[in-house]
């Protein structure tokens, strides 16, 4: 590796200092330090393949030796994997939950952040690792009856969140709103 590429490649944020995988989000800008609890601008994360495989069937399959990522991990003892499907701030939260770093997880999220977490959770199939935090975030964001009286973009976000995390009461409310034929976005 040349000196230039070493300078251009930022040090990964260490979720697991003894990790053997670097996940990175090449299609997104770095996390803005002013917006989160990450000291610096990071879009690369040092994590544990064991934690990933235990929490996520997606990563478990990817890290088998029949796939390039798994072969690289087996041969070199480490691997670097792009994660194009997730924003860095969303990935950071999900990875902290997967690794049991609950003190590093925000106690409250915006509706859009919770929607992004739901999408990532569903994609990575790591529902069990995220569900308790999601329940807490939902409780802090619970939509009011007024907000839930007509179809909006937020209603659609709640459908996604409730479907992914199996929030049955919320799903029932929001699907009833969405099913009213006279409503338009």
């Amino acid at each position: 590796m040349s000196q230039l590429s070493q300078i251009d490649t930022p040090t990964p944020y260490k979720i697991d200092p003894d990790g053997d995988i670097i996940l990175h989000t090449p299609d997104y800008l770095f996390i803005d330090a002013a917006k989160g609890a990450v000291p610096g601008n990071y879009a690369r994360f040092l994590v544990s393949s064991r934690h990933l495989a235990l929490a996520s069937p997606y990563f478990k399959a990817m890290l088998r030796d029949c796939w390039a990522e798994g072969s690289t991990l087996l041969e070199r003892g480490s691997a670097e994997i792009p994660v194009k499907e997730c924003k860095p701030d969303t990935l950071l939260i999900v990875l902290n939950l997967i690794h049991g770093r609950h003190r590093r997880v925000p106690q409250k999220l915006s509706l859009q952040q919770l929607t992004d977490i739901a999408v990532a959770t569903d994609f990575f199939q790591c529902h069990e690792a995220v569900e308790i935090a999601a329940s807490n975030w939902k409780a802090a964001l619970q939509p009011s009856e007024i907000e839930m009286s007509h179809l909006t973009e937020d209603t659609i976000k709640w459908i996604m969140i409730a479907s992914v995390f199996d929030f049955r009461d919320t799903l029932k409310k929001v699907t009833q709103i969405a099913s009213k034929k006279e409503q338009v976005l």
Side-chain angles (χ1 to χ4, degrees), residues 7 23 62 114 129 156:
I7 292 169
L23 296 178
M62 178 187 289
L114 184 52
I156 295 167

Side-chain angles (χ1 to χ4, degrees), residues 10-14 25 29-31 38-45 88-89:
T11 303
Y13 181 72
K14 295 176 182 171
T25 56
L29 298 173
F30 292 131
I31 295 173
V38 179
N41 293 326
Y42 291 94
R44 301 175 79 240
F45 306 98
D89 53 343

